[in-house]
């Protein structure tokens, strides 16, 4: 079945540690996205990538990093510089950027302990 | 001003009611509008998308765009308890509303 897989579903991190969230898609989509969702704030764009080896900052990129070495994969690293990392993280992909609909993974809930 | 604004609700309706969910947006150049449904602790799933203005219907769901007033709407007819979820409007992949929580009471 085609789709987007995020792992793990739940993740706990100690303060000061970096952690990497996985996102894999087999939809052959060129564009991939990372969003953060907090209660009452909807989805906010962290980073997006239009093509392999290229990515752009979204509205809230500070404290996050990404890579796009393969078309299928777009991992997100939450660094220790992110001051409030506890949130629900969503990965998505689409055929292209703009004017196409996105398909989402099931999310990763990150909690800093 | 935020690019897209959405009334967060919550909205509670009896089964069978017609539901109207709405968003406003700021930039008249926007052309691609989407509605997503999100169940608790799950990823959003695409319900409908519309390009430019006008109506689009899919079963019990109708998406409407009024570019003159920069207003987008989702109507749900004959609402069911399974429609209970949070509904998010979106513009392109970059701007999302805060979501409206809907509960349909049997």
């Amino acid at each position: 079945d085609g789709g987007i897989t995020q792992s793990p579903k739940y993740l706990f991190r100690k303060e000061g540690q970096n952690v990497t969230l996985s996102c894999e898609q087999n939809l052959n989509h060129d564009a991939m996205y990372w969003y953060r969702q907090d209660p009452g704030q909807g989805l906010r764009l962290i980073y997006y990538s239009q093509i392999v080896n290229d990515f752009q900052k979204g509205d809230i990129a500070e404290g996050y990093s990404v890579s796009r070495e393969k078309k299928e994969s777009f991992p997100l690293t939450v660094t220790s510089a992110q001051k409030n990392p506890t949130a629900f993280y969503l990965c998505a992909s689409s055929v292209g950027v703009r004017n196409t609909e996105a398909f989402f993974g099931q999310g990763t809930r990150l909690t800093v302990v | 001003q935020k690019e897209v604004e959405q009334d967060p609700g919550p909205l509670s309706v009896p089964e069978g009611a017609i539901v109207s969910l709405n968003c406003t947006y700021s930039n008249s150049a926007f052309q691609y509008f989407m509605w997503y449904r999100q169940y608790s602790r799950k990823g959003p799933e695409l319900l409908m998308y519309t390009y430019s203005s006008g109506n689009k219907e899919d079963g019990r769901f109708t998406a409407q765009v009024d570019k003159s007033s920069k207003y987008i709407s989702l109507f749900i007819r004959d609402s069911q308890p399974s429609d209970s979820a949070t509904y998010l409007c979106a513009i392109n992949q970059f701007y999302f509303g805060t979501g409206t929580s809907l509960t349909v009471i049997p």
Side-chain angles (χ1 to χ4, degrees):
Chain A
D1 289 334
I4 302 174
T5 301
Q6 289 187 243
S7 61
K9 190 173 182 179
Y10 299 98
L11 189 57
F12 297 87
R13 188 195 94 173
K14 291 183 178 180
E15 283 193 28
Q17 289 182 337
N18 293 355
V19 63
T20 298
L21 282 60
S22 171
C23 178
E24 304 277 334
Q25 56 100 357
N26 60 5
L27 299 168
N28 200 32
H29 286 168
D30 285 319
M32 296 187 74
Y33 314 80
W34 274 105
Y35 302 90
R36 170 180 172 141
Q37 188 173 33
D38 296 283
Q41 295 199 49
L43 273 66
R44 292 183 288 168
L45 183 65
I46 303 172
Y47 269 98
Y48 69 98
S49 168
Q50 299 185 66
I51 198 168
V52 174
N53 293 323
D54 179 71
F55 47 84
Q56 305 295 327
K57 292 182 180 180
D59 296 328
I60 56 166
E62 185 175 352
Y64 300 97
S65 66
V66 294
S67 63
R68 187 87 186 276
E69 298 177 0
K70 298 187 299 180
K71 187 175 185 177
E72 306 79 27
S73 179
F74 192 41
L76 173 75
T77 296
V78 184
T79 75
S80 57
Q82 169 51 236
K83 298 306 178 188
N84 187 21
T86 294
F88 189 48
Y89 290 88
L90 287 159
C91 179
S93 71
S94 63
V95 172
V97 174
R98 301 184 193 279
N99 298 341
T100 63
E101 60 274 25
F103 297 88
F104 283 83
Q106 290 304 295
T108 293
R109 174 71 186 180
L110 173 64
T111 302
V112 175
V113 298
Chain B
Q1 184 183 7
K2 295 180 74 172
E3 289 80 7
V4 59
E5 304 265 10
Q6 182 174 11
D7 184 346
L11 189 60
S12 184
V13 302
E15 183 175 353
I18 296 174
V19 177
S20 173
L21 304 166
N22 307 293
C23 292
T24 58
Y25 61 94
S26 60
N27 190 334
S28 58
F30 292 151
Q31 294 205 76
Y32 208 83
F33 308 95
M34 290 157 282
W35 284 96
Y36 290 87
R37 177 173 63 195
Q38 185 176 26
Y39 293 111
S40 181
R41 301 182 182 183
K42 300 289 187 183
E45 56 178 324
L46 180 70
L47 270 179
M48 303 198 59
Y49 65 92
T50 53
Y51 183 75
S52 193
S53 60
N55 291 0
K56 186 173 183 178
E57 188 174 319
D58 184 2
R60 297 185 294 111
F61 298 88
T62 299
Q64 186 175 80
V65 177
D66 182 346
K67 296 203 78 179
S68 62
S69 57
K70 290 183 278 188
Y71 200 80
I72 56 178
S73 302
L74 178 71
F75 299 98
I76 307 174
R77 292 182 299 279
D78 186 26
S79 56
Q80 303 295 309
S82 59
D83 294 328
S84 298
T86 296
Y87 290 81
L88 299 154
C89 61
I91 298 174
N92 299 327
Q93 312 309 340
F94 300 111
Y95 310 115
F96 282 77
T98 54
T100 299
S101 176
L102 171 68
T103 300
V104 180
I105 302 169

